[in-house]
Amino acid sequence: MSGEAFNRKSIFGAWMGRAKRAAAIMVLATVCIPWSSGVHAAAAQEDIRVVIFADLGSKYKATVPAVTLKSPGGLSVGQNSGSSFQTWMGLPDSTARFSVDSYRVKVLEGNEAAAIKAAQALQKTNDKPTVFIGSKNGSSVYQVYAGIYASEQSAQAAVQRISSATGAQAEVKGNKHWSTGSYGSEQEANLVRTTIAAAGFDAFTVIQSRGQYAVWVGEESNDSKLSALKTELESKQPRLTLSKVNATQTGLIIRQEAGVTTGSQVMSHYMLSGSDNSKVIVNGGNNGIQVMERSQRTYRGEMEIGMTSGQLALVNEVPLEQYLYSVVGAEVYSSWPDEALKAQAVAARSYALAQGNRFQIGNVVDGTLSQAYNGKSSEHANVNEAVDATAGEVIKSGGKVVEAVFSSNAGGVTADASEVWNSGGEAFASVDSSGDTSAQKGAQEWYHVLLSSGKTGYIREDNAKELEGVTEAGLDKITVTAENTNVRPIPQIQSTVTPIAKAQPGEEIIVLEKVPQSGDYAWVRGPFTSAQLAKSLQGKVTGTVPSSINHLDVTKRGPSGRVLEVEANGSPLKVKYPDMFRSAMGGLPSTLFDIASTGSYTVLGADGATSHVSGTQGTQILSASGSSTSSGNGVIVMNEDRHARVIDKTQSFIFTGKGNGHGLGLSQWGANGLAEQGYDYKKILQHYYKNVDIVKD
């Protein structure tokens, strides 16, 4: 959820104003006022920039060599000019591919069969192929490329593995070209390009602006190769007037991509050339734009094709309120009460507006590092109405928009800022979130059981019936009602996880306890072995990770009960901030958890001291006939609350907890519960965010 990207230095941000959008039949681009270094920002009633693909280093990295954009009404490509959109060309075919003119590896040049063979070999690797078809030396030719790579060095490093995978003599290509001049039409440029290609050179028609075309020759990776190409060109084409293409020259290199890697469909492919400031806009009108590489999602607004760090950057620029249609629909259920949807809309709007220039080329990203954003597929009429009903409303504290982080379920109590990222602000404090139990409605309970084989697991209550009588320890007994009933490792049906056993009718099974179904509110994870935990801890804790974890204990908790400190074998595990314990411990839903070990238990002595007893040591048992030591699998221990568990000789760790997410700010399930109790959205928000006002900005 959005809180994953909480700004640890400040919870506030601001947006700068922008020029109003120009009225047009299609959704057109706006002029963005730079925040700094060419970064865009937006006012509350204007657009938001959502980064879909880009290489932004440690902030965000999601890259693809090319994107396939599609719109049923056709695509329009151009640039923003002043306050209006200037169309360079229309694409009536409705589908086109876009990439950037950066470093790549040319795998081979040959016939269709050779191209297919090489492309199929590369599809299985990280060096994904692109196959172009064109004309050279008077005949058709297929050219297979791999990449895009951020530098000539990284492309060169790929050559050896690509040659090994394909058997071809691969070579590095790049973004250095010679230009033969400018032309007033694509037809005129194509005539020149065809003549040069017929002489055996790579030549491309390029769109430089509306009505202005050029022909570029070569695609070299460095100046030495470019100089050698010029010598060869002048010897074979002496009438050409050549000039070196400026590295910052914006242009769209027109190519045709063969159907080898595009599902048998030959389509236009446009390579954006220039610097990080070079951009073109792709417009789909009111039909939206489908991005095939992003799960075929369709987005409102327009797509900006650019380049960052030598990689393709795709940014969706969309009106803020329309962006929220998708975000709110992706973050919560559209069937929830209107007031819960409104609360989510205001929180999501506030969070978005507080981001400023967080992601350099955009304000937010399209995943849960910011807020879930799935395009039109997550929109719903109920959600859209809630967004519209709160249009422009934000959460403010001290006159500034609050970065209103939220999570799925707080587990009954929200987090204090000190329990999450060690910092926060006046708007955040631990509060009751009893509405979180609404996530449990209709869910079955499960029996935590001990089988006669000594194995423990979970059986759902509707698959069992209680037996008369209890064990000597006072534990209930059940049997199952159907043959081959699954005994699950956690109280949840997991189709991809093998059951630990099959239970049969008539089999007497001991009940250790009855627990809620594992879900957003209450959950169980594990058992994790020492080796699994040690592997998960690597890179997430400072200092040395124990090679073998014999016991694991929560030693410090925060105001809400969330874990602040964990000790392994008596030594603290140090993390950068407390919420990192979630990922450090194998991906736990929240830090509101307890730890139980399968191979040991803790004894509280009369002097208040605690000691760990291992299952391999044996357990001292007092009975009417005296004392004895029991060891092996299946020893049951019970605490003062009569919660029983089984101790065996193998040491693993089970985590039981509540909540889903960091727990700071709005709890989505809690908001749903409060809305069901009759709270309006402002009261809900002012419950979860302290000392704030809900205002129309």
Side-chain angles (χ1 to χ4, degrees):
M1 301 298 170
S2 68
E4 305 302 331
F6 183 74
N7 187 328
R8 300 179 186 93
K9 293 182 179 179
S10 170
I11 64 167
F12 301 119
W15 291 77
M16 295 185 68
R18 333 167 11 129
K20 292 289 184 181
R21 298 172 65 84
I25 295 176
M26 295 189 297
V27 181
L28 301 181
T30 61
V31 176
C32 299
I33 297 177
W35 186 286
S36 63
S37 302
V39 174
H40 298 75
Q45 302 304 318
E46 291 299 332
D47 289 354
I48 187 168
R49 292 172 57 81
V50 188
V51 181
I52 298 177
F53 292 117
D55 182 357
L56 302 177
S58 60
K59 285 189 175 181
Y60 179 75
K61 187 171 184 178
T63 59
V64 289
V67 291
T68 311
L69 305 184
K70 186 175 183 179
S71 182
L75 297 166
S76 178
V77 181
Q79 281 189 328
N80 292 327
S81 178
S83 60
S84 63
F85 176 71
Q86 185 181 66
T87 303
W88 285 10
M89 60 180 175
L91 304 177
D93 292 339
S94 78
T95 304
R97 296 265 283 169
F98 294 86
S99 63
V100 293
D101 186 23
S102 188
Y103 296 98
R104 51 200 175 273
V105 173
K106 189 173 185 179
V107 182
L108 63 80
E109 182 173 285
N111 58 34
E112 183 178 13
I116 291 173
K117 183 178 179 181
Q120 288 176 339
L122 290 174
Q123 286 282 29
K124 304 171 186 177
T125 72
N126 291 327
D127 300 293
K128 298 302 181 186
T130 301
V131 182
F132 294 117
I133 184 172
S135 177
K136 202 170 181 182
N137 292 317
S139 59
S140 295
V141 64
Y142 287 79
Q143 297 175 323
V144 183
Y145 292 80
I148 298 294
Y149 304 96
S151 67
E152 184 178 8
Q153 290 75 18
S154 57
Q156 189 61 53
V159 166
Q160 185 174 352
R161 62 176 182 264
I162 290 170
S163 296
S164 177
T166 63
Q169 294 299 310
E171 60 178 327
V172 177
K173 293 295 181 181
N175 56 0
K176 295 183 179 295
H177 315 276
W178 293 109
S179 174
T180 65
S182 297
Y183 307 93
S185 70
E186 184 176 359
Q187 183 180 15
E188 185 181 359
N190 282 340
L191 288 173
V192 176
R193 175 186 58 79
T194 302
T195 300
I196 298 171
F201 295 97
D202 288 310
F204 316 101
T205 298
V206 181
I207 308 172
Q208 293 183 313
S209 64
R210 185 174 185 175
Q212 183 179 8
Y213 296 82
V215 174
W216 292 356
V217 187
E219 46 178 352
E220 305 307 325
S221 59
N222 56 56
D223 288 332
S224 177
K225 291 181 179 180
L226 189 66
S227 180
L229 173 63
K230 183 178 182 182
T231 300
E232 187 179 2
L233 276 166
E234 290 175 338
S235 68
K236 294 184 179 181
Q237 298 277 299
R239 294 185 178 181
L240 289 177
T241 300
L242 300 174
S243 60
K244 187 177 179 180
V245 175
N246 191 310
T248 62
Q249 172 65 57
T250 300
L252 280 176
I253 301 171
I254 305 173
R255 305 190 75 163
Q256 287 295 310
E257 188 167 347
V260 176
T261 54
T262 57
S264 300
Q265 180 184 1
V266 176
M267 66 178 68
S268 298
H269 186 123
Y270 301 92
M271 297 174 62
L272 175 68
S273 184
S275 66
D276 282 5
N277 292 322
S278 298
K279 296 173 176 63
V280 293
I281 304 299
V282 182
N283 209 295
N286 293 327
N287 298 297
I289 298 176
Q290 188 176 28
V291 183
M292 305 304 289
E293 289 73 18
R294 207 52 151 183
S295 303
Q296 301 184 28
R297 294 170 181 161
T298 298
Y299 298 87
R300 293 174 180 266
E302 59 205 13
M303 293 294 168
E304 178 186 275
I305 308 290
M307 187 188 311
T308 57
S309 302
Q311 296 284 350
L312 170 70
L314 183 68
V315 177
N316 179 208
E317 189 164 2
V318 60
L320 174 64
E321 300 300 316
Q322 294 179 15
Y323 162 77
L324 293 173
Y325 291 164
S326 174
V327 167
V328 177
E331 289 284 359
V332 297
Y333 293 101
S334 61
S335 59
W336 280 4
D338 290 345
E339 298 306 306
L341 299 180
K342 291 176 186 178
Q344 180 64 56
V346 176
R349 184 182 294 110
S350 302
Y351 176 84
L353 289 175
Q355 298 310 296
N357 61 343
R358 182 178 181 85
F359 293 98
Q360 300 167 353
I361 61 172
N363 311 116
V364 294
V365 298
D366 70 337
T368 54
L369 183 60
S370 293
Q371 304 182 108
Y373 175 59
N374 301 331
K376 296 177 72 173
S377 63
S378 59
E379 293 183 13
H380 189 277
N382 293 349
V383 170
N384 294 6
E385 288 176 8
V387 173
D388 291 343
T390 63
E393 290 188 27
V394 294
I395 306 167
K396 281 192 171 184
S397 177
K400 297 181 180 179
V401 178
V402 172
E403 187 179 27
V405 295
F406 50 85
S407 63
S408 176
N409 193 301
V413 57
T414 67
D416 185 82
S418 64
E419 298 173 301
V420 183
W421 297 299
N422 293 324
S423 62
E426 294 181 359
F428 298 96
S430 179
V431 299
D432 171 79
S433 188
S434 56
D436 289 325
T437 57
S438 62
Q440 294 290 107
K441 280 187 178 179
Q444 299 277 359
E445 289 195 308
W446 292 64
Y447 291 104
H448 186 198
V449 300
L450 170 64
L451 305 178
S452 58
S453 64
K455 293 181 177 180
T456 62
Y458 295 86
I459 296 173
R460 202 169 67 184
E461 62 178 347
D462 59 339
N463 293 321
K465 66 177 181 180
E466 295 184 1
L467 299 176
E468 293 184 2
V470 295
T471 68
E472 292 181 358
L475 298 175
D476 292 329
K477 297 179 290 185
I478 62 168
T479 191
V480 295
T481 56
E483 292 185 2
N484 297 318
T485 296
N486 289 322
V487 182
R488 302 283 183 179
I490 67 172
Q492 183 183 56
I493 295 175
Q494 298 171 293
S495 59
T496 58
V497 178
T498 304
I500 64 167
K502 300 279 188 179
Q504 306 300 332
E507 180 181 352
E508 191 174 274
I509 301 168
I510 298 174
V511 177
L512 300 172
E513 61 180 332
K514 200 172 185 182
V515 300
Q517 180 163 291
S518 196
D520 280 324
Y521 177 68
W523 51 266
V524 177
R525 292 293 186 273
F528 299 120
T529 65
S530 169
Q532 287 173 322
L533 281 177
K535 182 178 180 180
S536 181
L537 289 168
Q538 293 288 348
K540 302 183 184 76
V541 299
T542 58
T544 304
V545 175
S547 57
S548 178
I549 300 174
N550 300 316
H551 49 89
L552 199 63
D553 303 286
V554 175
T555 52
K556 188 177 181 181
R557 297 183 183 273
S560 75
R562 284 170 169 78
V563 172
L564 295 181
E565 184 180 86
V566 175
E567 288 186 357
N569 303 340
S571 297
L573 296 171
K574 297 186 181 298
V575 292
K576 191 174 181 180
Y577 48 88
D579 196 58
M580 276 195 72
F581 278 121
R582 285 200 285 157
S583 59
M585 298 297 176
L588 302 180
S590 79
T591 57
L592 194 59
F593 63 76
D594 294 305
I595 308 171
S597 57
T598 63
S600 65
Y601 58 96
T602 303
V603 176
L604 178 64
D607 59 355
T610 60
S611 60
H612 293 278
V613 180
S614 168
T616 58
Q617 296 176 245
T619 302
Q620 194 74 14
I621 298 175
L622 295 176
S623 66
S625 58
S627 66
S628 62
T629 300
S630 174
S631 62
N633 293 336
V635 176
I636 301 173
V637 297
M638 186 182 299
N639 67 10
E640 60 186 10
D641 296 322
R642 296 189 61 78
H643 290 154
R645 60 188 178 92
V646 175
I647 305 301
D648 58 36
K649 288 184 177 181
T650 60
Q651 181 70 302
S652 295
F653 301 93
I654 297 173
F655 294 80
T656 59
K658 291 183 178 179
N660 187 1
H662 51 69
L664 192 63
L666 176 76
S667 170
Q668 293 167 323
W669 275 104
N672 174 64
L674 290 178
E676 288 178 342
Q677 296 173 37
Y679 284 73
D680 68 26
Y681 72 99
K682 290 186 177 181
K683 289 286 178 60
I684 292 171
L685 292 170
Q686 288 171 330
H687 173 76
Y688 284 107
Y689 305 102
K690 312 311 292 182
N691 305 310
V692 299
D693 297 309
I694 315 301
V695 300
K696 202 175 188 73
D697 202 23

